[in-house]
Amino acid sequence: MDTSVTEFLEFLAVEKGASGNTIAAYRNDLGQMEEFLAAAGKQNGNGADVPWLAINQNQVFEYILHLKGQSYAEATIARKVAAVKSFFSFLQAEGKVKVNPTETLASPKVGKSLPKPLTVQEIDELLEQPMRRATPEAKRDRAMLELMYATGLRVTELVSLDVTDCQIEGDKPHVRLVGKGNRERQIPLLDQPAQEVSEYIRFARPRLVGERDEQALFVNRRGERLTRQGFWLILKGYAQEAGIQGRVTPHTLRHSFATHMLRGGMDIHKVQELLGHANISTTQVYTQVSREHIREAYEKAHPRA
């Protein structure tokens, strides 16, 4: 359990931009479920160790009934159920469990804040920061940021890219991805990100890789595949240098890509395809973001007397 939960919490922090309080709450919620399952296993003579990857639907339902028998507020129970659902969805997406025992479990009705995208000006400031340095790392960073914003990649997809996944030359440059659920998709590249990636591959990457036999597209200064955490720290540094207020995570770039594409008139089904969303409902949250942005802009331009 420890390894799986640790990876899940890292995923929440790096890819979802979850706050420290949310991560701490999810850690406690999953720990509480582990204690319940361990106690039940011990009582049934199965030992106290929890086979976390072999939990079935009945055990999940028993845990939820246990929660409802406690003196928790409905909102607290909803959060604890959401933590369990999110965790098993993560395990399934990572290929660690074949069957998600929470798949048919209704999602709790809890309030969810809309993602806050960066403005176009903030994106421009962010992309400008690596250009102020003449190092292989800065060239790599510029290519990564351009690619993330131009395609809406998840950070896991970005760091999983190999050189062979990029078709830069020719009249239809693109990257090939295998996302959640092993769904493969190709994302076309505009001229600017294609040029940045091409120049990185030709001039900067060889200096970082050296003599190593490394297939990864983006590598660290030791010539090894860059990690999700490594990219997050790079992004955090540039966001601070750009003077961007608030927390900026890799998922912020994904939010910004989707929101800006919809505001620019792109069809929502095309945005869904580019993001790799299995369900259109996941993409529709960005239409809410766009409406919120329009309302806020109107209120700023027309303040009430």
Side-chain angles (χ1 to χ4, degrees):
M1 171 185 171
D2 288 342
T3 301
S4 296
V5 171
T6 298
E7 290 177 354
F8 170 63
L9 297 177
E10 179 183 319
F11 165 80
L12 289 179
V14 175
E15 294 208 33
K16 294 297 185 181
S19 68
N21 289 338
T22 297
I23 293 171
Y26 273 38
R27 181 185 290 110
N28 290 336
D29 292 339
L30 294 173
Q32 182 178 6
M33 184 176 183
E34 182 190 25
E35 291 176 3
F36 170 80
L37 294 171
K42 193 173 182 179
Q43 185 176 4
N44 295 332
N46 297 326
D49 291 335
V50 178
W52 200 250
L53 303 183
I55 300 301
N56 60 44
Q57 191 177 70
N58 287 337
Q59 290 170 297
V60 174
F61 286 156
E62 288 174 4
Y63 174 62
I64 294 174
L65 290 175
H66 166 74
L67 290 178
K68 291 184 176 181
Q70 308 300 306
S71 56
Y72 289 120
E74 286 297 321
T76 301
I77 294 177
R79 191 203 68 215
K80 291 179 181 294
V81 173
V84 174
K85 283 180 63 68
S86 295
F87 178 54
F88 278 105
S89 293
F90 169 78
L91 293 180
Q92 186 179 42
E94 294 289 308
K96 294 190 175 184
V97 296
K98 292 183 178 180
V99 178
N100 180 351
T102 69
E103 192 167 12
T104 60
L105 190 64
S107 297
K109 302 297 182 182
V110 292
K112 186 176 181 181
S113 60
L114 295 174
K116 183 174 177 60
L118 298 179
T119 66
V120 173
Q121 182 178 354
E122 287 172 330
I123 288 290
D124 288 342
E125 289 290 336
L126 183 66
L127 295 176
E128 184 181 334
Q129 300 311 307
M131 297 176 65
R132 299 179 178 180
R133 305 175 186 176
T135 64
E137 291 86 355
K139 195 67 180 173
R140 173 203 63 197
D141 299 344
R142 170 77 179 187
M144 289 194 300
L145 293 176
E146 282 277 2
L147 191 59
M148 284 283 280
Y149 175 62
T151 61
L153 292 182
R154 301 177 179 93
V155 66
T156 301
E157 294 171 335
L158 178 80
V159 299
S160 297
L161 284 174
D162 290 338
V163 176
T164 53
D165 293 324
C166 298
Q167 180 60 51
I168 304 300
E169 307 303 328
D171 57 352
K172 294 183 179 180
H174 65 270
V175 293
R176 183 184 66 86
L177 299 169
V178 179
K180 289 185 176 181
N182 290 322
R183 292 189 296 272
E184 183 175 322
R185 67 190 195 277
Q186 287 189 359
I187 300 184
L189 296 181
L190 298 175
D191 291 343
Q192 186 63 36
Q195 179 181 337
E196 294 293 345
V197 172
S198 177
E199 291 185 3
Y200 160 70
I201 292 175
R202 285 188 294 164
F203 304 119
R205 186 178 179 278
R207 294 174 60 184
L208 293 171
V209 173
E211 300 299 323
R212 296 181 65 91
D213 182 20
E214 177 60 64
Q215 301 301 310
L217 175 60
F218 294 113
V219 297
N220 57 28
R221 62 183 57 188
R222 296 185 302 275
E224 301 166 347
R225 185 181 295 274
L226 192 70
T227 64
R228 292 183 299 190
Q229 187 73 11
F231 176 79
W232 182 51
L233 293 174
I234 290 169
L235 174 61
K236 183 178 179 181
Y238 285 128
Q240 291 175 344
E241 292 176 14
I244 299 175
Q245 300 298 315
R247 195 162 184 259
V248 180
T249 70
H251 216 63
T252 304
L253 295 181
R254 184 168 163 86
H255 288 323
S256 302
F257 162 80
T259 305
H260 295 173
M261 291 301 100
L262 288 170
R263 286 179 194 164
M266 181 177 286
D267 180 76
I268 190 172
H269 292 90
K270 181 61 177 178
V271 176
Q272 175 192 5
E273 178 186 340
L274 293 175
L275 292 174
H277 287 159
N279 300 312
I280 191 67
S281 60
T282 309
T283 316
Q284 285 172 335
V285 68
Y286 297 106
T287 63
Q288 294 177 268
V289 176
S290 296
R291 287 195 294 269
E292 283 289 304
H293 172 80
I294 293 171
R295 180 183 61 78
E296 291 174 3
Y298 179 84
E299 290 179 352
K300 286 182 180 178
H302 303 84
R304 294 180 179 178

